[in-house]
């Protein structure tokens, strides 16, 4: 029987110890957040969107400048062709060379290029805000998964402590049965409880493995990697924080510091500039152009330099474009732009409303979590005293094994509820800290 107990004890605690030894790298919350922000593939995609928006902005800025181009061409003609000197068709071969430069600038275009540049500015700001938002989302998810690992680690400690008590109880019941001081029913009940606690520990270990896997996958690391999570020295949260927060101040802080609403404000501003661009297309545009050119033909008797000087030409002029009828495409584009603006306005209002709801819910959840943790902590203290008293009574035979097991299971349930309430409260506090712009660390 002692051999059986030893094997049970070894199987319960040996596996956990071996796994702990295998874990070499210790990850703090700050390490996890930093790694995720640097290596998460979704974040990398959003960074590429920022790069593309930067290129579009630079391109729209350059479009405000005059265009300036140079050209040169050289050709060789064979057979029947027009003689550039006599303008007659002849069978002969000759070479020709031409060169020129030209420039063009828009004098009046109803602000199309300026509006486009302004729209691209807001588009870039929106992409930067989108990147900041996805970083925040990833950070919150990391904290959630990190706390879930800590929570399951603590549940294992609770299960191990309960298993230790069951082992002691089983040993005592076995000795009492051997000397005739307890019934076979007490022994079987103790044995059954030992098996249940062994199963609870196994389930807790499985849940910890899943929690650790979720965190590894979020960090885009090898799922088979051993990961040891650093537990902060003091995880006891304050129980009166919710009384310090006012909805209006938290919302104002979140609206100013977080990108959630700013993102849609920037998109609304971009949509407004798109409407201005669509309106500008309906107006005439005026541009100015000028250029220089010259050419050389091998059939002429003059030298290359002489021909370039003699054939030198210049031009300048204005170009007016008046939109009269374009199959009503411009009007259709203007209507689309106005609809997109209205939709962007709705998205902005929705973002503000969602942020307001989220903050209100976060403050309510925090207050509820504080009360829950306080209640479970007080209940746990009372049940510990009750179990200690029942344990003493069981040792002197004043209560049977069934009553003792009930008391023990009540304590185990209370421990699990306290641990769950603790990490729920920590998570709720971190979420409110996030809305206030407080760094998310322990």
């Amino acid at each position: 029987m002692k051999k059986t107990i030893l094997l049970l004890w070894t199987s319960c605690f040996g596996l956990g110890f071996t796994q702990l030894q295998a874990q070499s790298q210790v990850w703090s919350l700050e390490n996890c957040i930093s790694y995720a922000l640097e290596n998460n593939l979704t974040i990398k995609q959003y960074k590429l969107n920022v790069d593309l928006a930067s290129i579009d902005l630079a391109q729209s800025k350059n479009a405000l400048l005059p265009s300036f181009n140079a050209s040169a061409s050289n050709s060789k003609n064979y057979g029947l062709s027009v003689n550039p000197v006599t303008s007659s068709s002849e069978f002969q071969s000759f070479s020709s060379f031409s060169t020129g430069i030209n420039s063009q600038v828009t004098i009046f275009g109803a602000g199309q290029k300026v509006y486009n540049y302004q729209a691209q500015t807001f588009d870039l700001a929106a992409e930067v805000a989108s990147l900041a938002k996805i970083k925040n989302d990833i950070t919150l998810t990391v904290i959630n998964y990190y706390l879930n690992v800590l929570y399951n680690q603590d549940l294992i400690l609770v299960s191990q402590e309960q298993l230790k008590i069951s082992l002691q109880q089983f040993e005592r019941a076995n000795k009492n049965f051997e000397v005739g001081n307890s019934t076979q029913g007490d022994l079987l009940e103790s044995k059954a409880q030992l098996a249940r606690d062994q199963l609870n520990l196994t389930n807790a270990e499985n849940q910890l493995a899943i929690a650790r896997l979720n965190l590894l996958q979020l960090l885009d690391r090898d799922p088979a990697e051993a990961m040891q999570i650093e537990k902060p020295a003091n995880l006891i949260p304050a129980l009166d924080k919710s009384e310090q927060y006012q909805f209006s101040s938290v919302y104002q802080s979140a609206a100013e510091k977080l990108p959630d609403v700013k993102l849609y404000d920037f998109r609304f501003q971009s949509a407004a500039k798109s409407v201005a661009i669509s309106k500008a297309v309906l107006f005439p545009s005026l541009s100015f152009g000028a250029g220089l050119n010259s050419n050389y033909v091998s059939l002429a008797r003059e030298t290359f330099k002489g021909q370039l000087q003699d054939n030198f030409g210049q031009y300048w002029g204005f170009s007016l474009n008046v939109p009269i009828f374009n199959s009503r495409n411009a009007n259709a584009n203007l209507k689309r732009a106005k609809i997109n603006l209205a939709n962007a306005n709705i998205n902005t209002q929705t973002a503000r409303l969602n942020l307001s709801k989220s903050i209100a819910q976060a403050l309510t959840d925090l207050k509820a979590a504080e009360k829950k943790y306080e209640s479970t902590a007080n209940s746990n203290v009372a049940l510990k005293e009750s179990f200690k008293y029942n344990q003493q009574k069981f040792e002197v035979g004043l209560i049977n094994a069934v009553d003792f097991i009930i008391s023990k299971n009540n304590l185990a349930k209370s421990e699990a509820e306290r641990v769950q309430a603790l990490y729920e409260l920590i998570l709720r506090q971190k979420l409110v800290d996030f809305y206030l712009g407080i760094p998310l660390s322990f």
Side-chain angles (χ1 to χ4, degrees), residues 407-419:
S407 177
K408 172 185 166 301
N409 288 341
N410 288 338
L411 176 60
K413 181 180 178 182
S414 172
E415 288 280 3
E417 290 175 346
R418 182 192 64 81
V419 171

Side-chain angles (χ1 to χ4, degrees), residues 359-375:
I359 292 175
Q361 186 67 51
L363 294 175
T364 301
D365 290 343
L366 174 58
K367 183 175 292 187
E370 288 176 347
K371 293 180 179 179
K372 181 179 179 180
Y373 176 72
E374 186 176 13
S375 297

Side-chain angles (χ1 to χ4, degrees), residues 124-140:
L124 174 59
E127 292 299 338
V128 172
S130 296
L131 175 60
K133 184 178 185 304
I134 194 63
K135 285 183 176 181
N136 287 341
D137 293 343
I138 295 294
T139 298
L140 289 176

